[in-house]
Amino acid sequence: MERVFTGKVRDLYSIDGDVLLVASDRISVYDVVLPTPIPDKGALLTQLSAWWFRKLRNVMPNHLISATDVPPEFGNNAMRCTRLHMIPVECIARGYLAGLGLREYERSGTVSGVALPAGLVAGSRLPGPIFTPTNKVSDSGHDEFITFDDVTREIGAGTAQRQREETLNLYAMAEQHALDYGVIGADTKFEFGWDPAGQLTLGDEAVTSDSSRFWLAEKWRPGEQQHSLDKQFVRDWATGTGWNREPPGPAVPAGIVAETRRRYVEAYERITGVGFPS
């Protein structure tokens, strides 16, 4: 087993021709890893991803092989996955207006080149889900919106169209399931790659509290701050400290750590219907 990549939250290992995707308890906001881990976060991300990968297989293939056939030292934090040649586009589906999408809408009335009706506010439900891809800006490391035409130029019209269709299909199924159990999936990110047979395949993670905005449906109020069950809770705390979003990040107080874990657990339990071991 050889470590081949270390990310902000996940580490990748090569194992028997497969990839071992290991989620840590690290948490990053504004592309900076904070010095304080969130207990059980890695297991929550891994097990929720694995649950979604199994549920979404009837929409499209994904890279999950097993969340149990992994080296025991990684416990519930690892998934064995098919090795993919990843496509360098982050495919975001948005059903509600929030975050970077809200800021772009306030500037231009569009998100990733998609025109939206006037008069929307933070938390508004969109007329229909939209595809808002991003990529990483090499000199800053931050996400930047690109348009569908940009994606087409980068990876070709056929692949771009497939990615948009699959992103919106996956989001539609996931968003409806979550809503049935009291969680609004306001937006989520998918990443795709080519498997060894050349088949477009869903990779990375799937519909977690790190890759999605989850709001408690019963408290949803457009124009107000939403009750989040995701990383936004930590973002809001970090912003409130006056931190300039440059490394090093601030240490997270014990109370914020505990509440963040509780919200991740609540999202997991509502979506899966399974209790998370305390």
Side-chain angles (χ1 to χ4, degrees):
M1 186 170 63
E2 176 189 3
R3 187 187 306 211
V4 295
F5 178 77
T6 298
K8 293 189 293 291
V9 173
R10 286 177 174 78
D11 301 323
L12 271 63
Y13 297 82
S14 177
I15 178 171
D16 303 328
D18 300 325
V19 170
L20 197 69
L21 194 61
V22 182
S24 72
D25 291 344
R26 301 188 294 268
I27 190 163
S28 72
V29 296
Y30 306 116
D31 293 313
V32 175
V33 177
L34 301 184
T36 314
I38 306 298
D40 297 316
K41 178 174 175 284
L44 284 158
L45 296 180
T46 297
Q47 297 307 311
L48 184 53
S49 274
W51 187 90
W52 279 116
F53 281 136
R54 290 188 289 267
K55 185 172 182 64
L56 295 171
R57 279 198 197 279
N58 64 334
V59 180
M60 77 171 302
N62 62 66
H63 70 163
L64 177 66
I65 297 172
S66 176
T68 55
D69 180 19
V70 299
E73 62 265 32
F74 293 117
N76 291 323
N77 290 48
M79 296 186 295
R80 182 185 289 264
C81 301
T82 300
R83 188 183 300 272
L84 303 179
H85 179 66
M86 299 302 292
I87 299 170
V89 176
E90 295 189 345
C91 298
I92 299 173
R94 297 178 185 273
Y96 295 74
L97 196 57
L100 293 175
L102 171 63
R103 290 199 285 277
E104 183 173 339
Y105 169 78
E106 290 174 337
R107 288 194 302 268
S108 65
T110 67
V111 183
S112 287
V114 179
L116 295 175
L120 300 180
V121 297
S124 288
R125 185 178 177 92
L126 303 180
I130 60 174
F131 177 67
T132 62
T134 67
N135 62 9
K136 292 288 186 185
V137 181
S138 58
D139 58 350
S140 72
H142 298 303
D143 294 342
E144 182 178 77
F145 280 121
I146 55 179
T147 67
F148 181 71
D149 288 343
D150 293 327
V151 179
T152 297
R153 283 190 291 270
E154 184 169 350
I155 64 175
T159 302
Q161 182 65 28
R162 283 283 312 281
Q163 283 197 319
R164 179 167 65 180
E165 289 174 356
E166 298 293 3
T167 295
L168 295 176
N169 288 340
L170 290 162
Y171 173 74
M173 181 173 178
E175 194 267 342
Q176 185 58 60
H177 171 87
L179 190 58
D180 288 344
Y181 292 89
V183 176
I184 290 175
D187 56 45
T188 197
K189 178 197 75 171
F190 297 109
E191 295 189 35
F192 302 94
W194 303 106
D195 75 1
Q199 183 175 42
L200 188 65
T201 303
L202 176 62
D204 194 52
E205 62 181 318
V207 201
T208 71
S209 293
D210 268 16
S211 64
S212 314
R213 279 189 174 82
F214 289 145
W215 299 336
L216 198 59
E218 64 200 54
K219 295 187 177 181
W220 173 56
R221 301 289 187 276
E224 300 179 10
Q225 185 173 19
Q226 307 304 322
H227 183 95
S228 65
L229 302 177
D230 56 57
K231 195 163 63 171
Q232 188 63 43
F233 178 73
V234 181
R235 287 193 195 99
D236 291 342
W237 166 80
T239 299
T241 68
W243 172 49
N244 65 1
R245 303 187 184 183
E246 297 295 330
V252 186
I256 300 296
V257 169
E259 179 61 13
T260 302
R261 181 188 181 279
R262 189 197 68 76
R263 292 183 185 218
Y264 273 55
V265 169
E266 182 174 358
Y268 172 89
E269 292 184 340
R270 281 177 175 262
I271 288 168
T272 67
V274 176
F276 186 79
S278 58

